[in-house]
Amino acid sequence: AQLKEWMKASSKFIGVCQVSEGEENPGVPPPNQVSSQNLGFTDVVGDSDGVLRRHLLAMAPAEPCYTDKSFSFQLAEHYLAQENKEFKLNPEKTSESGHKFVLPYLESNSGSYSNIDSLGYQVMLNWRSTPEIANRVSLFEVLNNEIEADLIKDKIVIIGTTAESFNNYWSTPYSNVKSGKKKTQGVIIHAHMTSQMLSAVLDGRSLIWVLPPGLDWLSMLGWSLLVGGIVSVVYQHSTILGYLALGSSIFALDRLYFLVLINGGWLPYIP
């Protein structure tokens, strides 16, 4: 009873729910004692190959999960409010201004995507390559008071299960069946999602961005004309200078795309 009252009254507790997808997946209703302001959905959006590359931040509420914000967004927003950082979704702006950080969003043809389902508010998920996104503790350790207070003080704590019987596993860009790298548990995925937003605001870690519609085609056309022109000159004259120019342009293109990539840019690449 004491826990129920705390969950109902505390602004530091975020409950979860999941939207229904029909008879096969009826969804997960929220805890009765949690208000809608402290509720987030755990639904995710996978690509056609089953790999999770996108981060669903908001969508229209639906039965039985009547909240429009994701669990990770709610966690980040509540945490950043304590740091006097305003964290908003705004499709009209894609940058940060003062204490306000606005997240860029994906459209149906953003980057290399073509006619994807971009409903809701989606961004690219900038996965961390680290093997462990955060410290893990077991329920047994908690119940036996084996956890040091400093481990969780002033930190976000995500409670979830890693049991395979819950079937809450997803393929990520780091999953590789051939190398034995398995799918990632849902609770770890939400930790990555939350970390992405916190790092973008507090540490300046770049979110993944794409060129506006049309500019990506112009960039491909420009580089194609440049390299194609150099190849034509080399083919006609076969001079050492022409070969050097061709090699230099390809190297410059490769380095440019690499610099853009490490700064969060996702551009069409022409080898």
Side-chain angles (χ1 to χ4, degrees):
Q2 207 171 23
L3 178 60
K4 287 184 178 180
E5 289 302 315
W6 178 82
M7 291 167 62
K8 185 185 298 185
S10 177
S11 61
K12 296 184 177 181
F13 180 83
I14 308 296
V16 299
C17 56
Q18 192 172 29
V19 171
S20 171
E21 297 178 1
E23 295 183 359
E24 293 184 0
N25 183 5
V28 179
N32 294 328
Q33 59 273 15
V34 178
S35 67
S36 58
Q37 289 80 11
N38 288 356
L39 189 65
F41 62 77
T42 57
D43 299 74
V44 296
V45 179
D47 284 344
S48 57
D49 59 357
V51 176
L52 194 62
R53 299 183 180 91
R54 288 176 280 160
H55 182 179
L56 180 61
L57 293 166
M59 64 179 179
E63 187 179 358
C65 184
Y66 293 103
T67 178
D68 62 344
K69 299 295 191 305
S70 70
F71 175 56
S72 56
F73 180 86
Q74 290 279 45
L75 288 175
E77 186 179 40
H78 281 68
Y79 184 88
L80 292 170
Q82 301 177 47
E83 303 290 329
N84 195 30
K85 298 285 187 179
E86 190 177 1
F87 189 60
K88 297 295 181 184
L89 303 177
N90 188 347
E92 301 302 323
K93 299 177 182 179
T94 58
S95 61
E96 58 181 317
S97 175
H99 291 292
K100 183 176 180 179
F101 190 92
V102 183
L103 286 162
Y105 67 103
L106 283 174
E107 299 182 40
S108 60
N109 293 305
S110 291
S112 296
Y113 282 122
S114 178
N115 296 320
I116 60 168
D117 181 359
S118 61
L119 294 178
Y121 201 110
Q122 302 177 32
V123 298
M124 294 299 297
L125 180 51
N126 194 0
W127 292 92
R128 291 191 180 275
S129 60
T130 176
E132 290 290 339
I133 185 67
N135 293 314
R136 298 196 204 188
V137 297
S138 66
L139 180 61
F140 178 84
E141 291 174 297
V142 174
L143 295 177
N144 286 276
N145 295 318
E146 297 177 7
I147 309 302
E148 295 290 337
D150 289 340
L151 188 64
I152 58 175
K153 183 179 180 181
D154 298 327
K155 295 179 176 67
I156 293 175
V157 177
I158 300 178
I159 303 172
T161 179
T162 58
E164 294 186 9
S165 57
F166 279 80
N167 197 29
N168 187 19
Y169 283 71
W170 286 84
S171 294
T172 76
Y174 291 101
S175 299
N176 191 324
V177 177
K178 292 181 179 179
S179 66
K181 181 97 174 180
K182 297 182 179 179
K183 295 182 179 181
T184 301
Q185 304 99 327
V187 63
I188 304 301
I189 288 172
H190 292 295
H192 276 273
M193 292 176 171
T194 306
S195 174
Q196 163 172 263
M197 292 181 283
L198 293 180
S199 293
V201 178
L202 299 177
D203 305 326
R205 182 173 181 250
S206 178
L207 295 169
I208 296 177
W209 53 270
V210 298
L211 290 174
L215 285 183
D216 50 355
W217 288 102
L218 286 176
S219 69
M220 287 190 293
L221 177 61
W223 280 106
S224 297
L225 290 174
L226 175 62
V227 176
I230 296 174
V231 170
S232 177
V233 171
V234 172
Y235 179 77
Q236 292 179 12
H237 302 285
S238 299
T239 63
I240 295 178
L241 185 61
Y243 283 113
L244 287 174
L246 177 61
S248 298
S249 62
I250 294 176
F251 179 79
L253 176 63
D254 184 75
R255 292 300 89 190
L256 174 63
Y257 274 59
F258 178 73
L259 288 174
V260 171
L261 178 63
I262 62 177
N263 284 283
W266 180 29
L267 304 181
Y269 182 74
I270 303 176

Short mmCIF file of all heavy atoms in Angstrom, two decimals, residues 6 42 46 60 64 69 104 111 119 151-152 158 167 192 201 208 211:
data_model
loop_
_atom_site.label_atom_id
_atom_site.label_comp_id
_atom_site.label_asym_id
_atom_site.label_seq_id
_atom_site.Cartn_x
_atom_site.Cartn_y
_atom_site.Cartn_z
N TRP A 6 3.19 5.95 -3.04
CA TRP A 6 4.38 6.66 -3.52
C TRP A 6 4.37 6.76 -5.04
O TRP A 6 4.68 7.79 -5.62
CB TRP A 6 5.64 5.93 -3.05
CG TRP A 6 6.89 6.60 -3.55
CD1 TRP A 6 7.52 7.68 -3.01
CD2 TRP A 6 7.65 6.22 -4.71
NE1 TRP A 6 8.63 8.01 -3.75
CE2 TRP A 6 8.73 7.14 -4.81
CE3 TRP A 6 7.52 5.22 -5.66
CZ2 TRP A 6 9.67 7.06 -5.83
CZ3 TRP A 6 8.46 5.14 -6.68
CH2 TRP A 6 9.53 6.06 -6.74
N THR A 42 6.15 1.98 -24.34
CA THR A 42 7.41 1.27 -24.64
C THR A 42 7.44 0.73 -26.06
O THR A 42 8.34 -0.05 -26.41
CB THR A 42 7.62 0.11 -23.65
OG1 THR A 42 6.50 -0.77 -23.72
CG2 THR A 42 7.79 0.62 -22.23
N GLY A 46 10.68 -1.00 -35.74
CA GLY A 46 11.77 -1.69 -36.42
C GLY A 46 11.72 -1.45 -37.92
O GLY A 46 10.66 -1.14 -38.47
N ALA A 60 0.10 9.25 -31.30
CA ALA A 60 -1.25 9.46 -30.79
C ALA A 60 -1.60 8.37 -29.78
O ALA A 60 -1.32 7.20 -30.02
CB ALA A 60 -2.24 9.44 -31.95
N PRO A 64 -4.52 0.08 -25.02
CA PRO A 64 -4.92 0.54 -23.68
C PRO A 64 -3.91 1.52 -23.07
O PRO A 64 -3.89 1.70 -21.86
CB PRO A 64 -4.93 -0.77 -22.90
CG PRO A 64 -3.75 -1.53 -23.48
CD PRO A 64 -3.71 -1.16 -24.94
N LYS A 69 3.62 10.17 -25.14
CA LYS A 69 5.08 10.25 -25.03
C LYS A 69 5.68 8.88 -24.70
O LYS A 69 5.09 8.08 -23.98
CB LYS A 69 5.49 11.25 -23.94
CG LYS A 69 5.03 12.68 -24.18
CD LYS A 69 5.69 13.29 -25.39
CE LYS A 69 5.44 14.79 -25.49
NZ LYS A 69 4.04 15.17 -25.47
N PRO A 104 15.34 16.94 -33.88
CA PRO A 104 14.97 16.82 -35.29
C PRO A 104 14.14 15.56 -35.49
O PRO A 104 14.24 14.62 -34.72
CB PRO A 104 16.31 16.73 -36.00
CG PRO A 104 17.22 16.14 -34.98
CD PRO A 104 16.76 16.66 -33.64
N GLY A 111 16.98 10.70 -45.47
CA GLY A 111 18.19 9.91 -45.68
C GLY A 111 18.01 8.88 -46.78
O GLY A 111 17.54 9.18 -47.87
N LEU A 119 4.86 7.92 -39.09
CA LEU A 119 3.84 8.44 -38.20
C LEU A 119 4.40 8.58 -36.78
O LEU A 119 5.29 7.85 -36.36
CB LEU A 119 2.62 7.52 -38.20
CG LEU A 119 1.85 7.44 -39.52
CD1 LEU A 119 0.70 6.45 -39.38
CD2 LEU A 119 1.33 8.81 -39.94
N LEU A 151 25.50 4.27 -5.99
CA LEU A 151 25.30 3.66 -7.30
C LEU A 151 24.04 4.18 -7.98
O LEU A 151 23.98 4.24 -9.22
CB LEU A 151 25.22 2.13 -7.16
CG LEU A 151 25.21 1.32 -8.46
CD1 LEU A 151 26.52 1.50 -9.21
CD2 LEU A 151 24.97 -0.16 -8.16
N ILE A 152 23.05 4.58 -7.20
CA ILE A 152 21.79 5.03 -7.78
C ILE A 152 21.43 6.48 -7.43
O ILE A 152 20.49 7.03 -7.99
CB ILE A 152 20.62 4.11 -7.34
CG1 ILE A 152 20.51 4.10 -5.81
CG2 ILE A 152 20.83 2.70 -7.86
CD1 ILE A 152 19.31 3.32 -5.31
N ILE A 158 16.25 2.27 -14.36
CA ILE A 158 15.24 1.60 -15.19
C ILE A 158 15.08 0.17 -14.69
O ILE A 158 16.04 -0.59 -14.62
CB ILE A 158 15.66 1.61 -16.67
CG1 ILE A 158 15.83 3.05 -17.17
CG2 ILE A 158 14.62 0.88 -17.52
CD1 ILE A 158 16.27 3.16 -18.62
N ASN A 167 10.19 -12.58 -24.24
CA ASN A 167 10.26 -12.35 -25.69
C ASN A 167 10.34 -10.86 -26.03
O ASN A 167 9.69 -10.38 -26.97
CB ASN A 167 9.05 -12.98 -26.38
CG ASN A 167 9.25 -13.13 -27.88
OD1 ASN A 167 10.38 -13.29 -28.34
ND2 ASN A 167 8.17 -13.08 -28.64
N HIS A 192 19.50 2.86 -23.88
CA HIS A 192 20.19 3.51 -25.00
C HIS A 192 19.41 4.74 -25.46
O HIS A 192 19.98 5.80 -25.75
CB HIS A 192 20.36 2.54 -26.16
CG HIS A 192 21.56 1.65 -26.04
ND1 HIS A 192 22.81 2.01 -26.49
CD2 HIS A 192 21.70 0.41 -25.51
CE1 HIS A 192 23.67 1.03 -26.26
NE2 HIS A 192 23.02 0.04 -25.67
N VAL A 201 21.74 16.69 -24.94
CA VAL A 201 21.49 17.95 -24.23
C VAL A 201 22.64 18.32 -23.30
O VAL A 201 23.10 19.46 -23.29
CB VAL A 201 20.18 17.86 -23.43
CG1 VAL A 201 19.93 19.15 -22.66
CG2 VAL A 201 19.00 17.58 -24.36
N ILE A 208 21.86 11.83 -34.88
CA ILE A 208 22.03 11.50 -36.29
C ILE A 208 21.12 12.41 -37.12
O ILE A 208 19.91 12.50 -36.86
CB ILE A 208 21.70 10.03 -36.56
CG1 ILE A 208 22.71 9.14 -35.80
CG2 ILE A 208 21.75 9.72 -38.05
CD1 ILE A 208 22.44 7.66 -35.93
N LEU A 211 20.38 15.29 -44.63
CA LEU A 211 20.18 16.50 -45.43
C LEU A 211 18.70 16.70 -45.72
O LEU A 211 17.94 15.73 -45.80
CB LEU A 211 20.94 16.38 -46.75
CG LEU A 211 22.47 16.43 -46.67
CD1 LEU A 211 23.06 16.16 -48.05
CD2 LEU A 211 22.95 17.78 -46.15
#
